[in-house]
Amino acid sequence: MGFLTPMLLAGGMLVAVPVLLHLIMRRQPKQFVFPALRFVQARRQSNQRRLRLRHLLLLALRCALIAGFAFALARPILKGSGLQGKEGAPLAVSLLIDNSLRMQYRQGNQTRLEHAVEMATWLVENLPEESSVAVLDRGRSLSGFVTDARTAKSRLSSLTPTSHPRPLEDKVCEAIELVAERIDCRQEVFLFSDLSIASLSETGLLQIAEALAKADEVRIYLVDVGIENSQNVSLGQLQISNVVLTPGQPLRIEVDVHSQGSAAETLVELFVRDTSEGSKEMVKRGQQMVNLLENSSGGEPDTARVSFELAELPLGTHQGFVQLADTDPLPVDNTRYFTIEVRPAAKVLLVGVTRDDTLFVREALNPSLLEEHTTTRFRCDSISFGKLPDAPLDDYQAIGLLDPPQLPDAVWNQLADYADTGGGVGLFLGHNASPPQALNEGAAQRLLPGKLRRRSRDATYFRPTQLDHPALTGLRDYAEDIPWQIYPVLQFWEFDDRADNWADNTHVIARFANNQPALLGRSSARVSARGHVLTMATPFSDPLQPVGREPWNLLPTGPEPWPFVALCNQLFTFLSQDDDVRANFLAGETVDIRLAPRQQLSSFVIHQPNGEAIRQTMPSGQDSILISTAEALGNY
């Protein structure tokens, strides 16, 4: 509490005046001679007690009256008391409108966003003329204050839903900080939202509380534009089997259908764009009827899962969407869009001392037992190391060196340049790496992750524990079911673990059971390139009974070696960069489309969901297409 004129509080000292009057005007007792003294004495004591109480009450009233006059003349105020907090001071008001997509929920003939704008406009019209108003939404920009109601209402009327809203707590804190800068004004924040569960988390509420504690004069008001017992049927995020497919590989799409507030029977439809020349028509490729149970208790919505499968998609890019056939109050979550690509099988070059050395990996990637019309993800060519200098490396997405021997520096430089231009190289080291001194010097170190120390004969097995690296993520779903211990590793190469012996951009992806590095990765030396190099400390080409020596491992020759097949496919998928494709983005995200290695573009055309086409140029040397204007929902 404070006072506008605190000096007048000194008037409270006048309270001493009634105290002095009380002391001066006390009535002195009079003496009387009366025969029945004992009755008079009792009456006298009773009268004195009553008079003393009356005098004290009168004294208190006189003191309170004088103190009240002094208190009133000092003009007390309550700091931070809202619109009446600073008498005579102008208002600084922030109007924060939640314009996320869920605010498009329609009740009657009005959406929640329209209702919020209507109430905010009424508030602007009824503010004092000298007020400053800032209109904020959940978009990226932060607008300042305006001093005229017309401009504020114009900003409100131009608000549109944003498909990529910023966290609501961040915008509330921005609004608080904005009005807190107006220290000479009464500071108010009005939040217009529908109070849905997705609006604010407990962490967000704590963040807002901290901002209010720092700006103790700011008052915040929440205006609820939602309704009770809302009803909505919505689609969850699409689960796509693969973004990149090979011809003949089926596409599987799964999606959850949610119902909130009422029982629902709805039809879910799948549409795919017709890829015939000149056609842009969406063709229905499937539909399913879904029955959802009633849930009006306000708890979790009822959910059902729908699956679609498409086969025999031709080469090229395919776009489509899954939608609910029926409309409801919130249509924005009734459609989910997708993009996938059908590519030819990735070309892989396998290099061994002889062609037989490539057998295990070749069969794991492209089994010869499959029928001719069956397509695989890889197409493998096999050559010997003697033919490697003349091989057209640029025709392949990945190269596998299976137990490479000592190679000329020119060949190592050729392979390193291939990786620097975006290719993938896999090194699977075995007995041909002896002696290691030749690999620890010269051009081979452009590819190897470090210097070899010795060949270890301590039996162990491959045991990847963290499967978050892209080279191994495909094993994550069934990692606990892989019996790596029955495929022992009998020999492997140890790397010198001193820090100065490790190459730049090197990291251990997986280890053996004895904690020695088993699989190591190294990024391209060029920052702009996306080439990868993988090094396995034990070979993938050893037969079960090699001539004149002991085998290095039983990974490809153990009982039912399906883990070896899975591991090969994962490693070469990573090397060929088929796992590095992203074709589906959230609206508002910056789209990053990576170009193929050695691919160069000078311009590109964006076809937007509304049918408009925009041509944009690309800076020279840029190896990806960047788009930051994809705000609308739909296929681009």
Side-chain angles (χ1 to χ4, degrees):
M1 178 179 289
F3 297 91
L4 294 178
T5 53
M7 296 298 295
L8 292 180
L9 287 176
M13 298 177 60
L14 295 176
V15 172
V17 174
V19 176
L20 292 175
L21 291 175
H22 174 77
L23 296 175
I24 294 173
M25 298 178 64
R26 285 192 306 177
R27 296 179 61 182
Q28 299 297 324
K30 296 181 180 180
Q31 295 183 358
F32 293 95
V33 178
F34 197 81
L37 291 179
R38 61 188 183 90
F39 298 107
V40 174
Q41 185 69 25
R43 183 63 177 177
R44 175 174 174 274
Q45 292 175 353
S46 176
N47 290 338
Q48 283 183 338
R49 286 194 298 270
R50 185 168 59 255
L51 289 174
R52 188 180 300 113
L53 178 61
R54 292 176 61 185
H55 290 166
L56 291 176
L57 291 175
L58 182 60
L59 173 63
L61 288 174
R62 289 170 176 171
C63 292
L65 181 62
I66 296 175
F69 277 118
F71 190 77
L73 292 175
R75 302 175 69 186
I77 60 173
L78 293 174
K79 292 185 177 180
S81 60
L83 296 176
Q84 302 298 328
K86 294 180 180 178
E87 185 177 344
L91 275 170
V93 179
S94 283
L95 304 178
L96 175 55
I97 312 297
D98 183 355
N99 62 332
S100 57
L101 292 180
R102 69 170 188 280
M103 292 287 286
Q104 291 183 284
Y105 187 97
R106 182 171 294 275
Q107 178 71 13
N109 294 322
Q110 191 177 47
T111 66
R112 292 176 179 176
L113 179 59
E114 293 169 345
H115 188 198
V117 169
E118 179 183 329
M119 298 184 70
T121 302
W122 176 88
L123 180 62
V124 170
E125 293 172 346
N126 287 273
L127 290 174
E129 293 184 359
E130 67 275 10
S131 301
S132 298
V133 180
V135 178
L136 293 82
D137 58 45
R138 294 182 63 181
R140 299 176 181 176
S141 60
L142 178 62
S143 57
F145 284 99
V146 296
T147 55
D148 60 296
R150 178 178 298 178
T151 303
K153 290 191 290 185
S154 175
R155 290 185 178 181
L156 287 170
S157 62
S158 63
L159 284 179
T160 57
T162 176
S163 55
H164 193 60
R166 290 186 55 191
L168 185 57
E169 56 268 21
D170 291 349
K171 298 299 297 186
V172 173
C173 292
E174 283 185 7
I176 293 173
E177 293 170 1
L178 184 63
V179 298
E181 295 175 356
R182 299 295 186 97
I183 57 177
D184 296 330
C185 298
R186 292 174 284 168
Q187 304 159 1
E188 307 290 339
V189 173
F190 289 85
L191 170 60
F192 297 83
S193 183
D194 60 356
L195 290 180
S196 69
I197 297 176
S199 299
L200 287 171
S201 62
E202 292 186 6
T203 304
L205 292 174
L206 292 175
Q207 184 177 339
I208 295 173
E210 292 176 0
L212 288 173
K214 294 178 182 178
D216 57 353
E217 291 192 359
V218 176
R219 288 291 158 265
I220 185 169
Y221 302 93
L222 178 60
V223 181
D224 181 11
V225 295
I227 63 171
E228 295 183 358
N229 301 323
S230 60
Q231 299 180 5
N232 184 41
V233 180
S234 63
L235 293 176
Q237 296 298 323
L238 297 183
Q239 304 296 323
I240 302 175
S241 56
N242 291 99
V243 175
V244 177
L245 304 174
T246 54
Q249 184 179 1
L251 170 66
R252 185 176 180 83
I253 300 175
E254 295 184 347
V255 63
D256 289 334
V257 185
H258 307 286
S259 174
Q260 180 71 51
S262 65
E265 182 180 62
T266 186
L267 181 66
V268 185
E269 301 173 321
L270 169 66
F271 286 83
V272 179
R273 189 184 303 276
D274 183 6
T275 57
S276 59
E277 185 176 356
S279 176
K280 295 184 179 180
E281 182 183 359
M282 286 290 182
V283 180
K284 184 187 290 189
R285 297 292 297 273
Q287 65 179 29
Q288 289 189 35
M289 184 64 70
V290 179
N291 290 307
L292 297 166
L293 301 177
E294 182 175 1
N295 185 350
S296 58
S297 61
E300 292 294 325
D302 185 55
T303 301
R305 172 153 289 202
V306 176
S307 298
F308 296 99
E309 186 169 302
L310 295 176
E312 302 300 331
L313 292 173
L315 291 173
T317 301
H318 299 269
Q319 293 185 319
F321 56 84
V322 179
Q323 71 172 12
L324 299 176
D326 300 326
T327 59
D328 62 4
L330 187 60
V332 72
D333 56 11
N334 291 356
T335 307
R336 301 298 183 193
Y337 302 89
F338 67 88
T339 299
I340 62 100
E341 187 175 356
V342 180
R343 294 182 177 180
K347 294 185 65 177
V348 175
L349 179 63
L350 301 177
V351 189
V353 175
T354 67
R355 191 175 186 276
D356 291 340
D357 292 331
T358 67
L359 175 64
F360 295 140
V361 176
R362 187 173 68 247
E363 288 295 318
L365 300 179
N366 188 4
S368 59
L369 295 178
L370 294 178
E371 299 179 5
E372 288 188 9
H373 64 273
T374 303
T375 59
T376 60
R377 193 164 189 173
F378 301 97
R379 195 177 74 190
C380 301
D381 292 336
S382 299
I383 62 173
S384 65
F385 283 102
K387 296 181 179 180
L388 183 57
D390 300 324
L393 302 186
D394 290 345
D395 293 344
Y396 298 93
Q397 282 80 40
I399 300 174
L401 305 181
L402 305 179
D403 197 1
Q406 312 300 330
L407 299 174
D409 281 353
V411 176
W412 288 117
N413 285 326
Q414 181 185 10
L415 292 168
D417 292 340
Y418 168 80
D420 284 346
T421 55
V425 178
L427 302 171
F428 302 87
L429 304 179
H431 75 284
N432 287 329
S434 299
Q437 288 76 14
L439 294 179
N440 290 340
E441 300 173 355
Q445 285 295 306
R446 289 184 62 186
L447 290 175
L448 287 171
K451 293 185 177 182
L452 301 177
R453 183 173 62 180
R454 70 183 184 94
R455 180 171 65 177
S456 175
R457 291 180 171 84
D458 296 332
T460 182
Y461 59 91
F462 185 64
R463 189 180 65 180
T465 55
Q466 295 182 348
L467 301 177
D468 53 353
H469 191 277
L472 297 177
T473 50
L475 304 176
R476 187 162 41 196
D477 293 340
Y478 45 92
E480 296 181 357
D481 299 326
I482 301 180
W484 292 113
Q485 62 273 14
I486 70 174
Y487 305 98
V489 174
L490 307 175
Q491 300 180 64
F492 61 91
W493 285 103
E494 290 185 7
F495 287 86
D496 196 331
D497 58 1
R498 290 179 296 180
D500 56 349
N501 285 326
W502 289 104
D504 294 336
N505 304 321
T506 295
H507 49 280
V508 177
I509 299 174
R511 296 180 180 272
F512 293 119
N514 59 8
N515 206 38
Q516 287 293 327
L519 179 63
L520 300 99
R522 183 178 181 184
S523 302
S524 169
R526 286 177 49 194
V527 177
S528 60
R530 294 189 173 92
H532 299 291
V533 180
L534 294 179
T535 301
M536 193 76 182
T538 192
F540 275 10
S541 55
D542 256 14
L544 182 60
Q545 295 179 339
V547 178
R549 61 181 177 86
E550 297 294 328
W552 279 58
N553 61 68
L554 301 185
L555 283 169
T557 57
E560 298 182 3
W562 64 269
F564 171 76
V565 175
L567 181 59
C568 277
N569 277 267
Q570 287 302 307
L571 298 185
F572 280 91
T573 297
F574 173 73
L575 291 174
S576 62
Q577 300 190 29
D578 274 351
D579 67 318
D580 206 18
V581 175
R582 185 181 178 192
N584 298 284
F585 298 83
L586 296 177
E589 282 188 287
T590 297
V591 178
D592 184 353
I593 303 175
R594 297 183 174 184
L595 301 180
R598 298 168 294 280
Q599 182 182 7
Q600 295 183 354
L601 293 179
S602 60
S603 64
F604 59 92
V605 178
I606 305 173
H607 294 272
Q608 300 189 99
N610 59 6
E612 295 183 3
I614 303 175
R615 178 175 292 275
Q616 295 190 3
T617 58
M618 281 190 62
S620 177
Q622 186 169 302
D623 60 354
S624 62
I625 296 175
L626 300 177
I627 303 171
S628 58
T629 58
E631 296 283 347
L633 301 179
N635 294 122
Y636 286 79

